[in-house]
Amino acid sequence: MQPFERSDPAHDPTLRDPCPLRRLGHPLAFSAEEEDRIERLLSRYPTREAAILPMLWMIQDRHGWIPEEAVSLVAERCGVPPSHAYGVVSFYTMFRREPGGRHQLQICTNLSCQLMGAEHLLDCLRRRLGIGPGETAADGLFTLNEVECLAACEMAPVVQVDDEFHGPLDDRGLGELLDGLRARAAKEGRI
């Protein structure tokens, strides 16, 4: 291929791709459906930067976590430095920066939950799952994290499973919750 042909979109279909990283052969790129969603998002907000959170959610929904190269991808689309996008990802505990279990368990151990028995509930989780905060169970079903606040004090002590809050929980309620998740995973053939 002649050099002048590579820069000509009529001769090289990869140059017509709207995603600049995909044009460069970057391994992580938005799908055509995601590109449509991004265009709609960008049209809804007054600045491109304002779309950073929904774009990060889109990445996490797709992969279950946010790979480092995705941070750069989102930063480029939002017109911000990668360090800014990384700051957003690292600030919010709901964004996962590494692969984890099928279900993300977050237990709040802040004051309201602490007063209502969060430490006991955390001990129950450690015992039942055989893991501590920041770890993933051997069967890959659960990742456990201790968080500062889930903003659900009225449900204290509360555990967030993926996007759902469960509380107030006691040892028995926690056991029923975990058993239900395991039964569903077994039925789906995931364990």
Side-chain angles (χ1 to χ4, degrees):
M1 181 179 290
Q2 298 296 319
F4 68 90
E5 291 177 336
R6 290 255 334 131
S7 62
D8 183 357
H11 291 92
D12 187 349
T14 62
L15 296 176
R16 291 189 298 256
D17 194 314
C19 176
L21 290 178
R22 200 166 40 225
R23 284 195 312 262
L24 297 172
H26 195 280
L28 182 67
F30 294 114
S31 68
E33 181 183 323
E34 290 169 332
E35 288 289 347
D36 289 342
R37 286 179 60 196
I38 290 169
E39 290 306 315
R40 286 193 306 270
L41 281 171
L42 293 175
S43 70
R44 284 184 14 206
Y45 293 103
T47 64
R48 292 166 44 118
E49 182 180 352
I52 195 166
L53 287 175
M55 287 176 66
L56 290 170
W57 276 119
M58 193 167 60
I59 293 285
Q60 185 161 288
D61 287 345
R62 178 173 159 194
H63 298 281
W65 63 294
I66 300 178
E68 199 167 310
E69 58 266 22
V71 174
S72 297
L73 186 66
V74 169
E76 183 171 324
R77 294 305 301 271
C78 291
V80 299
S83 59
H84 179 86
Y86 183 78
V88 172
V89 171
S90 62
F91 177 79
Y92 291 106
T93 61
M94 71 258 194
F95 290 128
R96 295 184 289 275
R97 291 181 281 163
E98 56 188 46
R102 168 90 174 107
H103 295 290
Q104 301 293 317
L105 305 179
Q106 296 185 79
I107 181 167
C108 175
T109 55
N110 211 327
L111 185 60
S112 297
C113 286
Q114 186 80 258
L115 292 172
M116 298 302 287
E119 279 300 317
H120 173 70
L121 214 52
L122 180 57
D123 288 340
C124 292
L125 280 166
R126 285 186 178 115
R127 191 179 62 249
R128 288 176 184 271
L129 301 176
I131 58 173
E135 297 176 339
T136 299
D139 62 4
L141 194 55
F142 300 108
T143 295
L144 176 61
N145 284 299
E146 181 180 358
V147 296
E148 278 300 310
C149 185
L150 292 172
C153 300
E154 73 282 2
M155 300 173 75
V158 65
V159 172
Q160 184 175 352
V161 180
D162 302 323
D163 297 329
E164 294 180 11
F165 292 121
H166 297 269
L169 285 175
D170 57 12
D171 193 12
R172 193 176 119 233
L174 180 65
E176 291 171 358
L177 175 64
L178 296 176
D179 290 346
L181 292 168
R182 281 193 177 104
R184 189 168 64 192
K187 187 175 179 180
E188 295 170 350
R190 295 179 186 265
I191 56 172

